[in-house]
């Protein structure tokens, strides 16, 4: 029962990331009281709002969860930092800013897997709802009245232009709108940048909601468990102020909504006794419900960065180091195009790893820049070009598992990168296409040398060995509370995102994705939150 000191709201939203910000706005705008809990701080750090601040924020100890993967059997026993946003706006405050929706077939497959209402035609209105497309927009596919501005690149470089021409030379067409009728092709990424500044979900959505009297946003609030009574979620316990802080509770009249992301959502569920019995027992946690799917089905994009040294044209390397940086800062301050106001990757190429593949299965994220030892943020002194490539729909499956009942102990995270042979084959195809791009006439005139991997790394075995040793995560973790029918053993939520077997509990973030969309995941997470709001409010999207 609630005590006299318990605060009571209609809805509790756990996690003020991409989805949590949208849900807080939509539910409170409908007149409901909402308490949103965020473990991190407010988004006041100025580097959040400068797009180039990405290279610092992604490694921040204050703005991210400092997770690491377990050593991976498919990547020579290496482990990786897995930063996730720990600040208002979540990962939308620290990510690479590119807005990519994926392919229509991705969502048709979700529906075909037993999730009615999730086909592409069903979800397209929700993509459009949140979007304020700046520039050319086909109204059939794009929204122009939403809160989140989606802009085109305004800083161009001859090497980037040559790369798109090189794609055309090897048969990959130019595509001016990868979020429109079709994804396939080459062009420039669209970004969540407006007037030279990042627009996170906190900026776009939470800034509206926080002005309402029916909204309470609580930062530095580490959730410890879901309050469950007779099989119903009634509230949340949390610690205010970090380890050693005060234990508090907040209760929900209607629902508890988890939007903590693909690592923290299954972690909180498991800490609350909802998860695989063998995992909970090993961690000393009482089993409330044995649900095998909680923490299973983890997927992430695994990328290889192919690098060349550039001659005959400047790249970002020479634009933002030494005295040249002051010039770019001045340009940014007065609103002129500048590499300080771009996303880390400028050029996209969506293509097929092999002509026999029925639709694109590769994403290239490319930038006229190169980094020493492959470390993002540590630029080479010479001009460079990086082609990052990954399998769009990875089949390698991993897991997230708590190690103990201590909320401040990180869980075990095992993505199992490159353990599925299909991922290996697709990535090899992508690496060979990268080689063809470097050597195609429009780009070859700028390529002084292929540096990573060097040209003598040529056979499938050699290229795959390079991928295992030098590849890295793209920070796109999904699937650990997957959506699916109740009779499917690894399903966690139904098609309305209601937790199987527990009342008044929903999961509304990247955890619910049953498979990886052919995309960076932020746009899909926005869509999930928009659709979730309508389901919670019993509304139907206007087509």
């Amino acid at each position: 029962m609630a005590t006299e000191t318990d605060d009571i709201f209609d809805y509790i939203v756990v996690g003020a990331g991409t989805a949590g910000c949208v849900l807080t706005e939509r539910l409170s705008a409908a007149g409901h009281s909402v308490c949103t809990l965020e473990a991190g701080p407010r988004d006041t750090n100025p580097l959040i709002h400068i797009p180039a601040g990405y290279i610092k924020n992604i490694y921040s100890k204050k703005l991210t969860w400092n997770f690491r993967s377990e050593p991976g059997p498919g990547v020579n026993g290496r482990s990786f930092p897995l930063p996730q946003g720990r600040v208002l706006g979540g990962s939308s405050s620290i990510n690479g800013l590119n807005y990519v929706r994926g392919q229509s077939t991705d969502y048709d497959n979700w529906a075909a897997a037993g999730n009615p209402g999730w086909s592409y035609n069903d979800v397209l209105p929700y993509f459009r709802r949140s979007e304020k497309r700046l520039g050319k927009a086909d109204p059939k596919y794009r929204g122009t009245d939403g809160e989140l501005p989606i802009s085109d690149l305004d800083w161009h470089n001859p090497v980037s232009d040559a790369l798109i021409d090189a794609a055309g030379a090897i048969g990959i067409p130019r595509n001016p709108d990868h979020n429109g009728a079709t994804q396939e092709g080459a062009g420039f990424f669209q970004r969540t940048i407006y007037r030279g500044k990042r627009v996170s979900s906190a900026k776009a959505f939470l800034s509206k909601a926080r002005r309402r009297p029916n909204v309470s946003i609580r930062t530095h609030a580490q959730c410890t468990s879901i309050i469950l009574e007779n099989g119903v979620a009634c509230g949340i316990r949390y610690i205010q102020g970090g380890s050693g802080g005060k234990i508090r509770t907040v209760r929900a009249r209607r629902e508890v909504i988890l939007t903590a992301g693909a690592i923290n959502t299954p972690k909180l569920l498991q800490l609350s006794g909802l998860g695989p019995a063998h995992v909970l027992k090993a961690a000393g946690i009482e089993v409330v419900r044995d649900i095998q799917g909680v923490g299973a089905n983890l997927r992430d994009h695994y990328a290889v960065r192919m690098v060349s040294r550039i001659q005959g044209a400047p790249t970002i390397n020479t634009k933002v180091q030494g005295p040249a940086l002051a010039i770019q800062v001045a340009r940014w301050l007065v609103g002129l195009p500048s590499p300080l106001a771009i996303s880390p990757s400028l050029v996209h190429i969506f293509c097929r790893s092999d002509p026999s593949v029925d639709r694109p299965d590769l994403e290239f994220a490319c930038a006229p820049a190169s980094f020493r030892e492959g470390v993002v943020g540590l630029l080479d002194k010479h001009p460079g070009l990086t082609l990052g490539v990954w399998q769009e729909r990875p089949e390698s499956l991993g897991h997230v598992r708590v190690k103990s009942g201590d909320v401040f102990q990180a869980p075990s995270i095992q993505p199992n990168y490159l353990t599925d042979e299909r991922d290996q084959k697709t990535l090899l195809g992508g690496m060979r296409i990268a080689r063809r791009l470097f050597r195609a006439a429009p780009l070859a005139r700028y390529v002084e040398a292929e540096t990573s991997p060097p040209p003598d790394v040529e056979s499938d075995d050699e290229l795959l060995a390079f991928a295992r040793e030098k590849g890295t995560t793209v920070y796109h973790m999904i699937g650990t509370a997957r959506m699916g029918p109740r009779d499917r053993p690894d399903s966690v939520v139904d098609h309305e995102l209601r937790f199987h077997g527990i009342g008044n509990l929903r999961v509304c973030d990247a955890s619910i994705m049953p498979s990886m969309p052919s995309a960076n995941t932020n746009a899909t997470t926005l869509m999930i939150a928009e659709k979730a709001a309508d389901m919670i409010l019993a509304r139907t999207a206007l087509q």
Side-chain angles (χ1 to χ4, degrees):
M1 297 294 293
T3 67
E4 288 185 307
T5 58
D6 284 342
D7 292 326
I8 303 178
F9 295 81
D10 294 331
Y11 296 97
I12 302 171
V13 175
V14 179
T18 294
C21 291
V22 173
L23 281 159
T24 302
E25 160 58 21
R26 301 299 185 227
L27 298 178
S28 64
H32 295 290
S33 59
V34 181
C35 179
T36 300
L37 303 172
E38 168 57 45
R42 293 167 60 94
D43 55 337
T44 53
N45 187 316
L47 287 179
I48 290 174
H49 309 290
I50 303 171
Y54 163 86
I55 60 176
K56 298 291 185 182
N57 294 337
I58 199 72
Y59 300 117
S60 169
K61 301 299 183 184
K62 294 182 178 179
L63 302 179
T64 72
W65 295 93
N66 302 307
F67 295 129
R68 286 195 71 90
S69 68
E70 298 291 335
V75 288
N76 296 349
R78 293 189 300 145
S79 66
F80 303 91
L82 298 174
Q84 301 285 280
R86 185 176 180 268
V87 60
L88 292 183
S91 291
S92 75
S93 289
I94 65 162
N95 69 4
L97 301 120
N98 290 330
Y99 180 87
V100 185
R101 293 179 176 177
Q103 301 168 20
S104 59
T105 304
D106 299 332
Y107 305 104
D108 291 341
N109 287 345
W110 287 12
N115 300 298
W118 289 89
S119 72
Y120 180 66
N121 286 337
D122 292 320
V123 303
L124 181 56
Y126 295 109
F127 278 117
R128 292 200 307 253
R129 176 182 291 175
S130 60
E131 181 184 30
K132 184 179 182 65
R133 173 73 177 120
L134 306 173
K136 294 184 66 175
D138 181 342
K140 180 178 179 181
Y141 299 102
R142 309 307 301 270
T144 56
D145 299 323
E147 291 88 345
L148 186 67
I150 308 298
S151 63
D152 290 321
L153 180 68
D154 61 358
W155 183 86
H156 288 273
N157 177 276
V159 178
S160 296
D161 294 333
L163 174 58
I164 293 176
D165 291 340
I170 67 170
I172 301 170
R174 183 181 291 262
N175 183 355
D177 188 358
H178 55 284
N179 293 309
T182 184
Q183 183 191 70
E184 190 164 14
F188 296 105
F189 276 115
Q190 297 163 15
R191 317 86 45 81
T192 53
I193 296 174
Y194 182 59
R195 294 181 176 175
K197 294 183 179 180
R198 174 192 295 272
V199 184
S200 67
S201 291
K203 185 77 171 178
F205 301 98
L206 208 60
S207 60
K208 294 171 61 179
R210 71 187 322 152
R211 295 193 291 266
R212 299 190 182 109
N214 56 336
V215 173
S216 175
I217 299 169
R218 303 180 182 183
T219 55
H220 302 287
Q222 173 72 60
C223 297
T224 63
S225 64
I226 304 163
I227 300 171
L228 300 168
E229 295 175 358
N230 301 317
V232 175
C234 300
I236 290 287
R237 294 185 185 89
Y238 67 97
I239 296 175
Q240 188 90 51
S243 181
K246 187 172 183 179
I247 299 174
R248 300 181 182 275
T249 61
V250 60
R251 299 183 69 90
R253 295 185 188 92
R254 293 176 178 265
E255 292 187 9
V256 173
I257 304 168
L258 304 188
T259 56
I263 295 177
N264 277 314
T265 283
K267 176 187 172 184
L268 180 60
L269 288 167
Q270 291 173 10
L271 287 172
S272 304
L274 305 172
H278 69 283
V279 172
L280 304 184
K281 290 176 181 177
I285 297 170
E286 181 182 355
V287 179
V288 176
R289 291 286 169 88
D290 179 9
I291 304 175
Q292 292 296 307
V294 174
N297 193 50
L298 175 66
R299 300 176 195 242
D300 187 16
H301 286 134
Y302 182 83
V304 173
R305 294 185 174 95
M306 311 279 281
V307 183
S308 283
R309 184 174 182 136
I310 296 298
Q311 63 182 357
T315 66
I316 292 173
N317 300 69
T318 53
K319 291 285 187 180
V320 298
Q321 297 191 84
L325 177 58
I327 296 173
Q328 298 305 327
V329 170
R331 290 179 61 85
W332 180 79
L333 287 171
V334 299
L336 293 174
S338 164
L340 300 185
I342 60 176
S343 53
S345 301
L346 308 187
V347 175
H348 68 75
I349 301 173
F350 297 101
C351 62
R352 307 171 196 228
S353 61
D354 185 271
S356 65
V357 177
D358 63 352
R359 60 188 175 116
D361 57 353
L362 291 171
E363 177 174 347
F364 283 82
C366 315
S370 62
F371 303 94
R372 278 176 272 172
E373 299 299 321
V375 177
V376 175
L378 191 62
L379 287 162
D380 285 325
K381 296 296 184 182
H382 58 261
L385 171 65
T386 299
L387 309 185
V389 60
W390 58 83
Q391 142 80 307
E392 286 203 277
R393 298 176 296 279
E395 299 292 348
S396 300
L397 296 180
H399 58 257
V400 175
R401 296 171 181 168
V402 291
K403 297 178 180 178
S404 74
D406 180 1
V407 68
F408 294 104
Q409 183 176 14
S412 170
I413 306 165
Q414 177 54 273
N416 281 322
Y417 299 119
L418 290 187
T419 52
D420 192 291
E421 290 186 4
R422 290 168 289 184
D423 295 350
Q424 300 168 20
K425 180 180 178 181
T426 301
L427 191 56
L428 280 171
M431 296 173 76
R432 294 204 176 279
I433 290 171
R435 283 269 171 84
R436 292 176 62 197
L437 289 165
F438 282 139
R439 297 168 187 178
L443 187 58
R445 66 191 183 99
Y446 291 114
V447 174
E448 180 180 350
E450 296 175 25
T451 57
S452 183
D456 60 355
V457 175
E458 182 56 36
S459 71
D460 283 356
D461 287 346
E462 290 170 330
L463 287 170
L464 185 57
F466 177 85
R468 294 188 193 280
E469 184 60 34
K470 297 296 185 180
T472 188
T473 171
V474 193
Y475 319 119
H476 293 164
M477 283 153 281
I478 63 104
T480 49
R482 70 169 292 158
M483 172 175 61
R486 190 166 186 170
D487 59 0
R488 178 170 173 152
D490 61 351
S491 293
V492 176
V493 299
D494 68 9
H495 66 281
E496 293 195 0
L497 311 186
R498 298 170 297 196
F499 195 91
H500 288 310
I502 299 292
N504 296 350
L505 179 63
R506 291 195 208 226
V507 179
C508 304
D509 60 21
S511 303
I512 68 95
M513 299 183 193
S515 57
M516 181 73 81
S518 309
N520 311 50
T521 51
N522 192 57
T524 303
T525 303
L526 284 162
M527 175 275 290
I528 290 168
E530 292 282 19
K531 183 170 171 59
D534 269 13
M535 292 188 293
I536 292 166
L537 298 169
R539 299 188 306 204
T540 302
L542 296 175
Q543 300 295 322

